[in-house]
Amino acid sequence: MTFPGFSPRQASTGIGLQKAHYKDFLKERQPVAWLEIQAEDFLNFETEEFQFLERIREDYPMSLHVTNLSLGSSDGIDEEHIKRVKALIDRLNPFLISSHLSWGRIDGYYLNGLFPIPYTQETLELLVSTVNRVQEIFESPLLIENPPTYLQYKISNMEEVDFLGTLVHRTGSGILLNINNVYVSCHNHGWDVEAYLKGVPKGKVKEIHISGHRIQGPFLVSDHESDISNEVWNIYQKAIHLFGPVPTLIKRKTTVPDLKFLLAEAQKAQNILNQIRTPSNTTRKERHVRFG
Amino acid sequence: MSALVKIQRDFCQFIRGHSHRDFYQHIKNSNIPKEDSLSIYLQGIFSTHTEALKNNYPLVFSLLDDRAACEIAHAYIEVNFPCTGDLKEWGGAFPCFIQHYEQQSEWPYLAEVAQYERAKYVALYGSEGSLFTGDKENFLSSIDHKEQTFQFQEACQLIAFLYPLEQIISSIEYNQKSVVPKTQGSSYALIFKLHGKVIVCWLTPSMFVFMNRLKEGQGMDVAFAAAEVLEPLFDIEKAFSFMLSYPLLRIAEK
């Protein structure tokens, strides 16, 4: 399977589309290249909100993030849920589709969270099978996001980054690298950030998320409402130099700030992307992307 | 049982409050106590589900202070553990839960406010369907028999409340909770969907009875007779004119 959409030279930044900002996007063109939507918010097409979404889609490419795929569930996938997501994919034609390296469903119960999986051969084989099946139904490659984790399992015998790399190689899927989650997990488990980044297979990172976290006791906790820390911005800069320009999302979900704030963050990320466009394969016009 | 299945089942048991010791044995030892790790996941689950309830029932939660909101959400989660990934759908049993929830006596109409909000959700995700498109002005004269029945749009609901919900909702929405009457006083809502949006109309008792009988599949004559009991001068033409203005119904196929 091949990845459609942006080529590395066209890599640019996006923000999550929030209900509070629909009117702004419908009123006039906003200075952002693309938008992310959460699939589970739009599975019903007969609502005014979906009509807004389709109108906004006419002006902005969209990336689709699926929260409840539960790729790592030993129950296997919920085909009913996935088919509903597929219907949404057919309507919106997103340029990227992503989900998480985690699980959230067992024995019919939905825990509606992103829980850690043990990194073992057993889990790897399950995930290879699941991801292949999801990609088959979606008729599109999937990006798999590294999770924030707050515990490790005794039986894990692979590093998370190696597990993820092997998974994407075997399935032809890609990586959504969440820089904040790298920072959070490395802090929580004593892993080395540089080693983690170097372990990510080059060429497989197709999207990057940048988000916030809070301090809670000995932990950093990823929360989608805190501001992006300087440490995460620094790691992002290193990641772009390692992986090249990649579509980058400013992830903010829970407490939705002013649109101007989000757009400013997106521009900050875009400025970093612009820094590493090499003169040999860009025109003067392409070198500095700025919106608005 | 595979190791992965055991881990996931033990985690689920821990989350549901049945046992935490089984899951502890899976966690790699570190400097950080295992309880601290697990508390982050537990917090996350309750936070996600509480947020979902608040999104689905904003009026209900606007009546509760933070402590009461947390308590009622936690109590609901514990007895209605989700079996769906659609969090909007999961909250469906919440109105009934509130009705039997002992600690909600400060707001005696809380369950009805929840019922109202749930009805709006059901309308939003119901089908508008294809409805009457004929001659509205001569509609009544086009009906060939008084036993005629009608089909309403799937999303349409008619609800009778024990409390004056229209005033209550209005007070909540205008942030005037202190003036909301807590005494009973019936109210009747028509909730339906039009062009993807939910519409709420408050009806007179007679109009409610008339529409409800029609919606239940009873004939025009039976519905009219029931409405006349409450309002001797019930205007059937005006009633149909109202229903067709949206439109809410069509003539049922034989």
Side-chain angles (χ1 to χ4, degrees):
Chain A
M1 288 195 172
T2 53
F3 282 89
F6 290 23
S7 69
R9 277 196 294 172
Q10 293 169 310
S12 49
T13 53
I15 63 173
L17 178 63
Q18 304 290 345
K19 200 170 177 172
H21 303 145
Y22 287 170
K23 284 196 178 135
D24 296 296
F25 282 97
L26 288 168
K27 190 175 149 194
E28 59 190 358
R29 190 77 173 81
Q30 298 294 334
V32 73
W34 54 275
L35 299 169
E36 179 191 79
I37 64 158
Q38 303 293 313
E40 283 80 5
D41 289 344
F42 295 104
L43 296 180
N44 189 301
F45 302 158
E46 287 185 58
T47 64
E48 186 186 43
E49 195 169 354
F50 193 82
Q51 291 166 17
F52 287 155
L53 180 71
E54 286 198 304
R55 279 167 54 196
I56 294 169
R57 174 66 186 91
E58 286 169 17
D59 293 332
Y60 300 87
M62 282 183 181
S63 157
L64 184 70
H65 198 58
V66 191
T67 308
N68 267 329
L69 275 189
S70 192
L71 293 172
S73 169
S74 55
D75 276 1
I77 56 171
D78 180 345
E79 295 235 351
E80 195 54 48
H81 182 67
I82 289 173
K83 282 172 182 162
R84 291 181 75 192
V85 175
K86 169 67 168 129
L88 179 62
I89 290 168
D90 290 342
R91 284 289 278 257
L92 294 182
N93 191 25
F95 74 99
L96 291 170
I97 306 168
S98 56
S99 192
H100 306 97
L101 183 67
S102 65
W103 70 281
R105 183 169 56 88
I106 185 71
D107 289 341
Y109 288 110
Y110 272 85
L111 306 181
N112 292 298
L114 306 175
F115 306 114
I117 52 173
Y119 299 126
T120 64
Q121 196 60 38
E122 178 196 354
T123 323
L124 181 62
E125 295 307 324
L126 169 77
L127 273 151
V128 166
S129 169
T130 303
V131 169
N132 279 337
R133 179 65 183 137
V134 168
Q135 293 184 135
E136 185 186 0
I137 294 173
F138 285 174
E139 295 179 290
S140 172
L142 183 69
L143 299 187
I144 303 168
E145 181 179 357
N146 56 299
T149 55
Y150 311 102
L151 60 86
Q152 298 180 88
Y153 293 106
K154 285 178 184 168
I155 64 166
S156 289
N157 52 22
M158 296 169 76
E159 300 296 328
E160 177 181 288
V161 67
D162 296 330
F163 184 96
L164 182 56
T166 308
L167 176 62
V168 301
H169 273 302
R170 286 183 57 183
T171 57
S173 54
I175 293 174
L176 188 173
L177 188 67
N178 187 311
I179 302 293
N180 178 67
N181 291 352
V182 171
Y183 182 60
V184 162
S185 296
C186 286
H187 171 93
N188 292 340
H189 306 309
W191 303 340
D192 183 73
V193 169
E194 303 268 352
Y196 192 106
L197 290 182
K198 284 182 183 154
V200 176
K202 288 186 175 50
K204 288 294 189 180
V205 177
K206 303 296 182 185
E207 188 180 346
I208 284 178
H209 280 189
I210 321 177
S211 56
H213 58 264
R214 65 178 188 273
I215 299 170
Q216 186 168 318
F219 290 106
L220 296 182
V221 180
S222 179
D223 66 10
H224 291 155
E225 66 183 41
S226 301
D227 290 346
I228 300 165
S229 70
N230 288 334
E231 291 89 347
V232 170
W233 281 115
N234 290 338
I235 299 170
Y236 173 63
Q237 200 141 19
K238 287 179 189 168
I240 291 301
H241 279 88
L242 260 178
F243 306 118
V246 171
T248 298
L249 179 84
I250 302 298
K251 186 91 177 184
R252 191 82 173 229
K253 214 164 61 172
T254 335
T255 311
V256 180
D258 180 66
L259 181 60
K260 284 190 173 56
F261 177 86
L262 287 177
L263 294 175
E265 296 276 83
Q267 188 59 54
K268 185 174 174 180
Q270 188 63 58
N271 292 343
I272 294 171
L273 280 174
N274 290 346
Q275 281 169 16
I276 68 125
R277 286 169 198 278
T278 56
S280 61
N281 58 9
T282 58
T283 62
R284 189 177 291 278
K285 199 174 169 184
E286 283 176 318
R287 197 170 303 156
H288 295 288
V289 177
R290 190 176 178 91
F291 305 106
Chain B
M1 187 189 300
S2 85
L4 181 63
V5 171
K6 178 97 176 75
I7 283 173
Q8 292 181 347
R9 281 188 176 157
D10 287 346
F11 185 84
C12 189
Q13 290 298 310
F14 158 72
I15 293 296
R16 296 183 64 206
H18 298 323
S19 157
H20 54 271
R21 291 290 159 202
D22 286 343
F23 188 71
Y24 275 22
Q25 66 182 320
H26 300 297
I27 303 175
K28 183 178 172 183
N29 293 329
S30 75
N31 293 336
I32 300 168
K34 295 177 183 179
E35 304 82 66
D36 291 357
S37 298
L38 289 174
S39 75
I40 293 176
Y41 290 109
L42 201 57
Q43 272 171 32
I45 288 170
F46 278 105
S47 169
T48 297
H49 291 90
T50 302
E51 203 57 39
L53 284 177
K54 284 183 180 175
N55 288 338
N56 293 345
Y57 297 97
L59 297 175
V60 165
F61 280 87
S62 71
L63 288 170
L64 304 171
D65 61 36
D66 286 346
R67 193 179 62 88
C70 256
E71 281 176 3
I72 199 169
H74 279 217
Y76 181 70
I77 292 161
E78 277 169 10
V79 298
N80 283 283
F81 213 74
C83 295
T84 171
D86 184 343
L87 285 173
K88 295 188 189 82
E89 187 53 44
W90 164 68
F94 194 50
C96 186
F97 172 80
I98 293 176
Q99 208 161 4
H100 299 101
Y101 185 64
E102 288 168 6
Q103 282 93 311
Q104 61 90 14
S105 56
E106 189 190 345
W107 307 104
Y109 44 75
L110 200 68
E112 291 205 333
V113 173
Q115 190 185 1
Y116 167 83
E117 295 196 278
R118 181 65 186 172
K120 286 179 69 181
Y121 162 81
V122 171
L124 182 64
Y125 291 98
S127 171
E128 285 184 51
S130 57
L131 296 163
F132 183 77
T133 52
D135 180 359
K136 290 179 185 177
E137 293 214 5
N138 298 305
F139 178 77
L140 267 184
S141 54
S142 70
I143 295 168
D144 57 8
H145 58 94
K146 56 186 187 218
E147 298 90 15
Q148 179 64 61
T149 57
F150 302 87
Q151 257 175 318
F152 282 70
Q153 67 159 233
E154 183 193 294
C156 177
Q157 298 159 85
L158 289 156
I159 309 176
F161 296 104
L162 295 175
Y163 285 90
L165 260 278
E166 185 180 8
Q167 289 162 255
I168 291 167
I169 302 297
S170 178
S171 300
I172 297 170
E173 286 177 343
Y174 286 100
N175 214 18
Q176 294 173 325
K177 290 178 279 198
S178 57
V179 302
V180 178
K182 292 186 182 177
T183 52
Q184 291 194 1
S186 302
S187 57
Y188 305 92
L190 163 68
I191 300 175
F192 61 100
K193 187 170 164 183
L194 186 65
H195 306 310
K197 283 169 70 167
V198 173
I199 311 284
V200 179
C201 296
W202 296 96
L203 307 175
T204 61
S206 55
M207 185 63 178
F208 176 84
V209 161
F210 181 69
M211 288 186 69
N212 210 27
R213 295 293 175 111
L214 290 180
K215 191 164 179 293
E216 285 171 353
Q218 298 187 47
M220 208 168 68
D221 53 344
V222 171
F224 179 59
E228 261 195 323
V229 168
L230 295 173
E231 186 185 339
L233 296 176
F234 184 78
D235 187 337
I236 194 172
E237 281 197 29
K238 195 170 159 190
F240 273 102
S241 174
F242 166 76
M243 289 189 287
L244 291 170
S245 65
Y246 290 105
L248 293 173
L249 49 58
R250 63 174 174 200
I251 294 170
E253 285 153 26
K254 289 173 188 165

